[in-house]
Amino acid sequence: MVFFSFIGICLYYIFPIFTKYLIDNIISANNIKELKIWLFLGLGFSVFLHSYIFYFLKYQWDKIPLYFSVKLKKILLKKIFKIKKYNYKNFDKGQLLNYLISDSGTYANVVVTYLGTLTIGILRVISGYIILFFINPILSLISAIFIPLYVFSMGINKKKLEQYSKLERIKADEFITNANKNIEGKIHINLYQKEQYFEKIFEKKLEEWKNIRLKYSYWYNFGKEVPMFVNTLSSFTIMGIGAYYVISQKMTLGSLIMFSQYLSMLFEPLSQIAQAIVEKHSNKGILNRINDFYNYKEKENINLENENKDNIIEIKNCSIYTENKEKLLEIENFILNKRNGLYIIKGKNGAGKTTIFNLLTQISSPEMIKKNNKNSVFYFSKDFIKNCSYLYNPIYLFEGDVKTNIIFNNAEDSNYLEEIISMLNINNLDKKVDFQNLNISLGEKQKIHMARVLYFSKNKSILLLDEPLSNLDYKTKENIKKYLSKIKKEKIILVVSHENLFDDIADKIYNIIDNKFLEERKEVVE
Ligand SMILES: Nc1ncnc2c1ncn2[C@@H]1O[C@H](COP(=O)(O)OP(=O)(O)OP(=O)(O)O)[C@@H](O)[C@H]1O
C-alpha cells in the first residue's frame, strides 16, 4: 500500500507543473494551438489520476480497516465466550454489544487511518517540502515556520476529547442496554400499556447520551478547526510574501501559483495528520476500553479443596451468601458420594436451591461461599463440570429448527435422540424457532430444553435438573419420572423441584428450612 501511495503522490505532483506551463508558456505566448493540446492532455491525465486514486488508494485502503474490524469482532466474541461464567455478570450487556457492533469498527478505522495517514502523510510532507525548497528556498523556509504551529494546534483539546470520548461510550452503553430491554420486552410493555413509562426511561437515557455527545462534538470540531485556521493563516501569509516576489520580478506568476499548489499539497497531508490525531484523541475512550477488554485477565479459578476421590460433593459447615453479601443459607453437612441415584433438593422460593447448582457449575462465584470454621469443607470433584449436564434456567433457544436446538451441531445419535424425543412427546423436530420464540409454546420450550440436557448427558455421570417439570403435561411428567427412575442407576441425578412427583423414586431428599440445608430423608441402602 505504501508503494501504491508513493506512486500516487508522484502522479499528484505533476499537476502544478501543468499549471506553470499554462501560465508561463501558453498564456504569455498566446498559443491557442498548444492550449488545445494542454487541455486534452490535462483531461486525460486527470481521468487517469483519479481512477488510480479511487481504485488503488481509496478503495484498497478502505478494505484494510474493514478486514481488521471483522477480525477484531471475531476475536472479541471469542474473548466474551472465554470469560468465566461467574465473572460474566460484571459486564454490561450494552457494553458488550457496543464492543461487537460499533467499537470494533471504530477501533479498526482509527488505528488503520492513524498509522496509514502518519506513514503516507509524513512521506508527502517531506517530499512536498523538498519540491517547495527547490522552487523558492526562502518562501519554503517561511512555510516551515507554520509546521510546528500546526503540530501544536493538533493536541490543543486532547484532554477534553479523551474525557468526553470515555463518557460518551459509557452513556452509549447504558442507552444500548435500555434499547435492548425495550426490544426484548415490547410485547409485555404493550400488554400492560406501559409504552409511555418505558419511552420516558428511553428518552432519559437518550437525552443523557445526547448531552455528552454534544460536548464531545464541540471539542471534536474545535480540535479539527484549529489546524484548519493555521492552514488558512499560512497560505494567506505565504501568498502575500510570494506576491511581493512577483511584483519585484524575483519570481514568475506561474511559479507562484505552482508554489501555492505545492504548498496546499504540503498542508493537505498535514491536515490529514491533524485529523488522524484528533480522531485518535476523540476515540481514546474506545481504544482504551477495547485494549482493556482484550487484555482482561481473570482471577485464577479459586481452588476450593484438594481432590477427594470418595465423594462427588462434600460441603461441611459452610455458609452461602448472595452476590450482595446477604446470608442465604447454611450447610452443615451435604455429602454426595459416587453412588448413582436420584437426589432431590426442596425449599421455598428464594431459599438458595438454584444457587447451589450455580455454585457447583461455577456460574456463581465461589466467593459466595464462606467457611464457618477450620473444619469446614466446600469440595466438589474437579471434573464435576466436565461430567455434568445442567438444565439451567432461563431456557435458551436460538435460530434454527427444533432438532438443532436440541443437538446443536453434534453428530446425530439417531437412536438416542429418538428415545428422548419419544419419551418427551416431541414431534416437530423440523419446526423453525422464530425470532421471539413465539411459535414455540412454554411446554414445548421446556421439552426442547429437557431433550437437550438429556442428549448431552449421554456420556456424563451427573445430571442437574432445575425445575424439570415446569409447564409440562401430566403424561410427559410421568414419562420423565419413568425415564429418570431408569437412568438413575447409571447417573447421579440432582433435582430441584417444587413438585412431589419424584419423591417415591428419590434416594434422598434434602430440604432448605429456615436457611438451613437439611437431610429430610436418609438414603435407603439396599
Ligand atoms: N446472580 C445473583 N445475583 C444476586 N443475587 C442472587 C443471584 N443469584 C441468586 N441470588 C439471590 O439468591 C436468592 C436465592 O436464589 P435461588 O435462585 O438460589 O433460589 P431458589 O431456591 O432456586 O428459588 P426458586 O424456588 O424461586 O427458584 C435469591 O433471592 C436472590 O436474591
Side-chain angles (χ1 to χ4, degrees):
M1 276 319 294
V2 174
F3 170 74
F4 280 118
S5 302
F6 181 71
I7 302 286
I9 297 167
C10 294
L11 291 172
Y12 213 48
Y13 283 153
I14 295 174
F15 253 116
I17 299 171
F18 267 92
T19 315
K20 178 180 161 49
Y21 190 81
L22 174 75
I23 296 170
D24 291 349
N25 295 50
I26 300 177
I27 298 178
S28 54
N30 290 330
N31 192 338
I32 295 288
K33 198 175 150 219
E34 248 191 80
L35 179 63
K36 284 179 189 160
I37 299 171
W38 184 91
L39 274 172
F40 181 73
L41 281 178
L43 185 70
F45 185 69
S46 311
V47 171
F48 170 71
L49 177 70
H50 287 287
S51 307
Y52 181 90
I53 290 175
F54 142 71
Y55 189 79
F56 288 105
L57 301 187
K58 303 268 167 76
Y59 174 60
Q60 297 298 336
W61 262 114
D62 260 10
K63 279 186 183 172
I64 304 174
L66 184 66
Y67 287 168
F68 181 27
S69 88
V70 167
K71 178 116 191 123
L72 191 58
K73 285 177 203 293
K74 290 184 199 168
I75 293 172
L76 291 175
L77 183 68
K78 272 205 170 87
K79 190 81 191 174
I80 291 173
F81 283 161
K82 268 199 187 140
I83 297 170
K84 288 201 168 65
K85 296 192 285 295
Y86 55 78
N87 283 332
Y88 192 56
K89 63 177 185 303
N90 299 330
F91 290 88
D92 179 76
K93 198 172 178 184
Q95 186 186 350
L96 295 176
L97 282 171
N98 255 337
Y99 286 168
L100 288 181
I101 297 164
S102 110
D103 289 0
S104 43
T106 312
Y107 186 97
N109 256 325
V110 172
V111 170
V112 173
T113 312
Y114 182 72
L115 294 177
T117 311
L118 231 59
T119 326
I120 310 299
I122 289 171
L123 201 70
R124 284 181 68 184
V125 170
I126 293 171
S127 55
Y129 192 76
I130 292 171
I131 295 173
L132 287 183
F133 188 81
F134 276 104
I135 301 172
N136 189 319
I138 298 175
L139 269 186
S140 71
L141 283 174
I142 297 170
S143 318
I145 295 170
F146 288 97
I147 295 177
L149 198 63
Y150 212 86
V151 173
F152 170 73
S153 70
M154 293 172 196
I156 210 153
N157 60 340
K158 185 173 165 235
K159 279 219 163 73
K160 285 278 179 210
L161 258 184
E162 288 180 6
Q163 178 196 345
Y164 283 116
S165 98
K166 197 173 162 193
L167 263 178
E168 191 271 340
R169 281 295 88 188
I170 293 171
K171 291 293 164 197
D173 291 343
E174 287 176 8
F175 168 66
I176 296 263
T177 305
N178 181 269
N180 198 49
K181 276 267 169 230
N182 289 320
I183 290 167
E184 278 177 0
K186 181 206 142 39
I187 304 286
H188 296 271
I189 294 166
N190 288 155
L191 280 174
Y192 293 99
Q193 293 169 8
K194 283 293 165 202
E195 294 85 354
Q196 280 187 358
Y197 173 68
F198 286 96
E199 275 164 20
K200 274 219 171 75
I201 303 174
F202 181 78
E203 280 162 21
K204 189 171 169 266
K205 296 277 171 204
L206 197 58
E207 195 64 17
E208 283 173 4
W209 171 75
K210 187 197 82 188
N211 290 338
I212 294 292
R213 179 80 207 182
L214 276 177
K215 287 192 177 130
Y216 165 86
S217 191
Y218 175 88
W219 287 106
Y220 173 74
N221 285 303
F222 177 74
K224 275 194 353 189
E225 215 41 45
V226 178
M228 290 303 125
F229 166 69
V230 178
N231 193 352
T232 311
L233 185 72
S234 54
S235 56
F236 183 76
T237 314
I238 286 159
M239 278 305 277
I241 300 170
Y244 166 77
Y245 277 101
V246 176
I247 292 167
S248 54
Q249 296 187 340
K250 287 180 184 150
M251 200 180 193
T252 65
L253 183 62
S255 294
L256 177 63
I257 293 176
M258 181 172 75
F259 187 92
S260 88
Q261 282 184 334
Y262 280 123
L263 189 68
S264 68
M265 285 184 188
L266 176 80
F267 279 113
E268 190 189 300
L270 270 176
S271 322
Q272 284 169 354
I273 293 173
Q275 195 101 342
I277 290 174
V278 171
E279 288 296 333
K280 190 177 153 236
H281 293 319
S282 67
N283 288 302
K284 196 76 181 186
I286 292 178
L287 297 180
N288 281 350
R289 70 191 209 149
I290 291 281
N291 283 339
D292 289 351
F293 183 64
Y294 182 75
N295 295 317
Y296 168 71
K297 293 248 174 341
E298 291 180 288
K299 269 194 221 160
E300 275 310 300
N301 241 347
I302 299 166
N303 203 355
L304 293 161
E305 291 294 331
N306 293 328
E307 186 73 22
N308 177 339
K309 295 202 172 14
D310 295 335
N311 297 324
I312 295 283
I313 299 171
E314 189 174 329
I315 307 175
K316 283 183 183 163
N317 300 315
C318 287
S319 301
I320 313 286
Y321 286 76
T322 66
E323 308 261 346
N324 306 330
K325 317 257 181 266
E326 287 157 14
K327 194 165 172 179
L328 192 57
L329 75 147
E330 271 188 30
I331 305 180
E332 207 174 292
N333 197 17
F334 175 31
I335 295 175
L336 215 61
N337 56 30
K338 289 187 174 164
R339 190 171 307 138
N340 291 334
L342 185 99
Y343 305 92
I344 299 179
I345 302 177
K346 292 185 176 180
K348 63 177 172 63
N349 290 132
K353 305 178 293 295
T354 304
T355 304
I356 295 175
F357 278 8
N358 286 349
L359 281 169
L360 295 172
T361 48
Q362 300 199 358
I363 290 168
S364 290
S365 167
E367 285 172 351
M368 288 161 60
I369 304 158
K370 296 275 177 295
K371 292 180 172 176
N372 295 340
N373 55 46
K374 62 178 177 20
N375 299 322
S376 297
V377 178
F378 195 105
Y379 161 82
F380 52 89
S381 69
K382 275 205 176 100
D383 39 9
F384 187 93
I385 297 175
K386 232 173 36 194
N387 288 335
C388 125
S389 191
Y390 177 17
L391 187 83
Y392 171 70
N393 287 305
I395 297 170
Y396 170 65
L397 296 186
F398 55 90
E399 213 178 294
D401 56 23
V402 169
K403 188 162 107 185
T404 316
N405 269 279
I406 296 172
I407 68 171
F408 291 80
N409 62 345
N410 275 26
E412 185 181 335
D413 181 338
S414 309
N415 293 338
Y416 187 51
L417 182 64
E418 181 52 40
E419 184 188 347
I420 294 168
I421 62 162
S422 71
M423 181 273 289
L424 291 168
N425 294 318
I426 297 176
N427 45 25
N428 52 359
L429 281 185
D430 297 332
K431 189 170 175 177
K432 287 262 173 286
V433 176
D434 76 15
F435 160 55
Q436 284 184 291
N437 311 334
L438 284 178
N439 64 335
I440 310 285
S441 76
L442 283 178
E444 284 172 331
K445 275 184 202 159
Q446 181 72 5
K447 285 180 181 184
I448 297 170
H449 199 195
M450 188 70 183
R452 184 191 291 163
V453 82
L454 291 176
Y455 190 80
F456 277 80
S457 75
K458 191 182 179 198
N459 301 315
K460 303 204 169 170
S461 54
I462 305 162
L463 189 55
L464 301 184
L465 301 176
D466 192 359
E467 297 295 352
L469 303 176
S470 312
N471 302 307
L472 295 182
D473 56 48
Y474 176 74
K475 174 99 179 52
T476 314
K477 285 182 187 178
E478 282 296 326
N479 283 358
I480 292 177
K481 182 178 176 180
K482 253 187 248 156
Y483 188 79
L484 292 186
S485 67
K486 186 180 94 183
I487 63 165
K488 76 173 194 150
K489 296 179 187 98
E490 305 146 19
K491 294 185 198 303
I492 292 169
I493 307 170
L494 272 166
V495 182
V496 162
S497 177
H498 289 285
E499 295 196 31
N500 298 328
L501 186 71
F502 299 137
D503 286 7
D504 55 327
I505 59 162
D507 293 273
K508 240 182 197 183
I509 298 175
Y510 300 93
N511 208 336
I512 302 172
I513 301 168
D514 296 334
N515 305 87
K516 291 206 167 13
F517 186 90
L518 304 166
E519 229 176 87
E520 189 181 285
R521 198 179 76 200
K522 298 242 184 276
E523 191 167 12
V524 185
V525 185
E526 289 151 23

